[in-house]
Amino acid sequence: MGGGTRTRPTRNRPVDASTRAGLSSGPGWYEEAMTSDAASALSDPTAEVVDLCRDLLRIDTTNTGDNDTSVGERRAAEYVAEKLAEVGVESVLHESAPGRANVVARIPGTDPSRGALLVHGHLDVVPADADEWSVGPFSGELRDGYLWGRGAIDMKDFDAMVLAVVRHWQRTGARPPRDIVLAYTADEEAGSDYGARFLVDNHRGLFDGCTEAIGEVGGFSYSVNDNQRLYLIETAEKGIDWLRLHAKGRPGHGSMMHDDNAVTALAEAVARIGRHRFPVVVTDTVRAFLTEVSDLLGIELDPDDPETAIAKLGPIANIIGATIRNTANPTRLSAGYKDNVIPGRATATIDCRSLPGQSELLERQLRELVGPDIAIEYVQRQPALETTFDGDLVEAMSAALRAEDPGARPVPYMLSGGTDAKAFSQLGIRCFGFAPLRLPADLNFSALFHGIDERVPVDGLQFGVRVLDRFLRTC
């Protein structure tokens, strides 16, 4: 869960649908070639999702934000392409830079007059320090009913679920009602320049006819009690406003009195930002979510004090609490080159997230906080998104969830972070977050994003496959 566009030379490679020897799409082809495991997958769409997810987790796709040190995206893209080819789905692989690979495929629907649905997931992950983890972050270890590894919930779980559904369809001859465009992207964790944004800017024809999309961080459960669960469907996400602060001063000797110190000026500005709480603003999406939650939990909702209600939401309070105001968190500092030299420059990175329609307001608020002597440089600036919680697609999501969990109550919510939807929305596509997972009531789901010991429940993966299978057959 995650900028400006950089154009790079493209390496296009169609992936042959007949990679596996003897593979054909004729009726009954699988009956002669199926092993017992494949036969199980034929009857059960969940049969191979754990293996697919584990394989993906074992491919280190760390995205450092630097092409020279990011790894594994092409290997993961080739794995996806090969798994599609095994069941007769042709795909195309596009490189935006050496090793930064994306895979796109189209599954024809039964009604070509309908708009296509884009199903997108990123293959890259944020870095992981193995010393902080209980297991190897790229081990794909099965333990205590969970599959562990960096990317388990962000978002190789969804990548694997979609693969499992598509492979099951190909084996059984199922077809969706509308075209499904699959996009497995690079670089989401660093702004999508080499992934979704690259595809939108250079290969938008791949998405012809797409009117709606689903992607990450939506459709997960929040347990109200043993019999009721909210399922949060993302209909909005905050804007990305990553910026750097630059302070200048007079260089000098560290032993002398110095009243023009760039480090001091920067530190004061960073502290003002880090301690500041921006005003509460309740958007339509957040209001709808809080109304639903208050009704279900019997919580009195004060429109002027939503934080009191949010504080009672347990593990998801951290996500929801970040969606009622603009936020700005210092993340990096850089200054100096020797212990006894006062540097002339100092720089800080601030991760800012703006509510829909508030990016320019946030900039004005930040300029007031840092003062006139600190320069602001934007590193990424991508708009917030918000759509309504209605329409046939929402009905199909809700129906699929209720069919697999009678205690499900789908609700809209705003994601505090950002996704590849920001890029795809530029094509006029209406974007949702819907990567369904039924989670244990005691799992702190939000803490796993970019955290240590990231893991996904195996039964949650299987639940997600069943929901996606139902949803994609009816959407």
Side-chain angles (χ1 to χ4, degrees):
M1 152 184 94
T5 302
R6 307 170 192 143
T7 302
R8 292 289 187 268
T10 308
R11 296 167 177 82
N12 304 335
R13 191 194 73 177
V15 180
D16 188 357
S18 57
T19 298
R20 177 177 286 181
L23 184 64
S24 75
S25 58
W29 65 266
Y30 50 82
E31 294 175 0
E32 296 179 1
M34 295 285 271
T35 64
S36 59
D37 287 343
S40 174
L42 178 62
S43 60
D44 180 4
T46 71
E48 63 176 355
V49 67
V50 173
D51 288 340
L52 292 169
C53 190
R54 181 165 49 189
D55 288 349
L56 286 169
L57 291 174
R58 288 175 173 172
I59 302 173
D60 180 354
T61 54
T62 297
N63 183 357
T64 63
D66 182 346
N67 279 355
D68 293 335
T69 54
S70 296
V71 298
E73 287 170 335
R74 177 162 187 128
R75 183 181 167 201
E78 289 176 340
Y79 172 87
V80 169
E82 288 164 4
K83 289 299 177 182
L84 291 172
E86 283 178 1
V87 293
V89 177
E90 294 185 0
S91 61
V92 62
L93 186 151
H94 288 286
E95 273 195 339
S96 51
R100 313 305 300 271
N102 306 271
V103 175
V104 182
R106 184 178 288 255
I107 312 295
T110 58
D111 184 356
S113 69
R114 293 189 58 194
L117 177 71
L118 171 63
V119 179
H120 61 93
H122 63 86
L123 294 168
D124 61 321
V125 299
V126 296
D129 183 347
D131 292 338
E132 298 175 333
W133 284 57
S134 301
V135 303
F138 300 103
S139 64
E141 183 171 331
L142 275 169
R143 179 194 291 187
D144 302 326
Y146 288 84
L147 188 56
W148 299 59
R150 174 60 86 214
I153 53 98
D154 187 14
M155 60 174 296
K156 292 179 177 179
D157 57 338
F158 182 68
D159 295 336
M161 288 189 285
V162 173
L163 266 182
V165 170
V166 169
R167 284 166 61 85
H168 176 68
W169 284 0
Q170 291 296 109
R171 290 181 176 122
T172 59
R175 290 183 64 189
R178 61 199 291 191
D179 283 10
I180 304 292
V181 176
L182 307 177
Y184 290 84
T185 63
D187 197 36
E188 189 274 345
E189 297 291 2
S192 307
D193 286 358
Y194 294 95
R197 298 179 74 82
F198 168 80
L199 292 175
V200 166
D201 288 342
N202 297 278
H203 301 285
R204 63 178 54 207
L206 294 169
F207 309 105
D208 282 351
C210 288
T211 57
E212 296 169 308
I214 61 168
E216 63 178 323
V217 205
F220 60 92
S221 67
Y222 165 73
S223 294
V224 177
N225 52 48
D226 291 342
N227 300 315
Q228 289 184 304
R229 278 155 296 281
L230 296 176
Y231 283 85
L232 283 66
I233 296 175
E234 185 212 306
T235 58
E237 59 183 50
K238 295 178 77 175
I240 294 176
D241 301 81
W242 294 343
L243 54 86
R244 290 198 180 100
L245 304 182
H246 298 281
K248 294 182 179 180
R250 188 178 71 255
H253 198 289
S255 68
M256 300 182 183
M257 299 293 293
H258 206 91
D259 59 2
D260 187 17
N261 189 315
V263 175
T264 301
L266 180 73
E268 290 172 343
V270 168
R272 286 194 296 272
I273 288 177
R275 295 193 180 102
H276 186 73
R277 291 296 174 267
F278 294 88
V280 169
V281 178
V282 180
T283 63
D284 291 343
T285 296
V286 174
R287 183 177 293 105
F289 171 81
L290 291 175
T291 300
E292 290 271 3
V293 169
S294 299
D295 176 59
L296 192 58
L297 299 182
I299 299 172
E300 183 177 352
L301 176 61
D302 181 352
D304 297 324
D305 181 25
E307 290 174 294
T308 298
I310 291 171
K312 299 177 182 179
L313 297 180
I316 63 169
N318 199 33
I319 290 180
I320 305 304
T323 63
I324 60 171
R325 53 166 51 93
N326 296 326
T327 57
N329 287 304
T331 56
R332 302 180 72 179
L333 294 169
S334 177
Y337 47 88
K338 197 172 186 299
D339 291 351
N340 63 346
V341 176
I342 297 171
R345 296 175 181 271
T347 301
T349 302
I350 313 293
D351 183 345
C352 303
R353 308 292 173 130
S354 56
L355 294 170
Q358 295 213 358
S359 180
E360 292 183 1
L361 172 62
L362 175 59
E363 181 179 356
R364 294 195 296 271
Q365 292 169 330
L366 290 169
R367 290 196 181 279
E368 290 177 4
L369 284 170
V370 302
D373 297 329
I374 304 293
I376 295 178
E377 172 199 4
Y378 276 87
V379 180
Q380 291 278 357
R381 198 168 193 180
Q382 300 183 29
L385 304 177
E386 189 166 29
T387 188
T388 52
F389 190 60
D390 56 20
D392 292 342
L393 197 72
V394 170
E395 290 300 321
M397 293 180 205
S398 301
L401 287 168
R402 293 189 185 106
E404 292 298 330
D405 181 1
R409 183 165 175 173
V411 296
Y413 93 107
M414 179 185 292
L415 177 65
S416 58
T419 74
D420 279 340
K422 294 186 186 303
F424 293 123
S425 67
Q426 294 177 10
L427 300 177
I429 298 173
R430 187 185 184 204
C431 296
F432 295 86
F434 188 65
L437 285 173
R438 179 168 172 173
L439 302 169
D442 60 351
L443 180 67
N444 189 347
F445 184 59
S446 64
L448 298 177
F449 285 86
H450 298 188
I452 62 172
D453 288 342
E454 187 178 345
R455 59 198 183 276
V456 63
V458 169
D459 56 1
L461 274 176
Q462 295 167 337
F463 172 85
V465 171
R466 294 194 299 272
V467 172
L468 283 173
D469 184 37
R470 286 180 180 275
F471 164 68
L472 292 172
R473 286 175 186 264
T474 59
C475 68

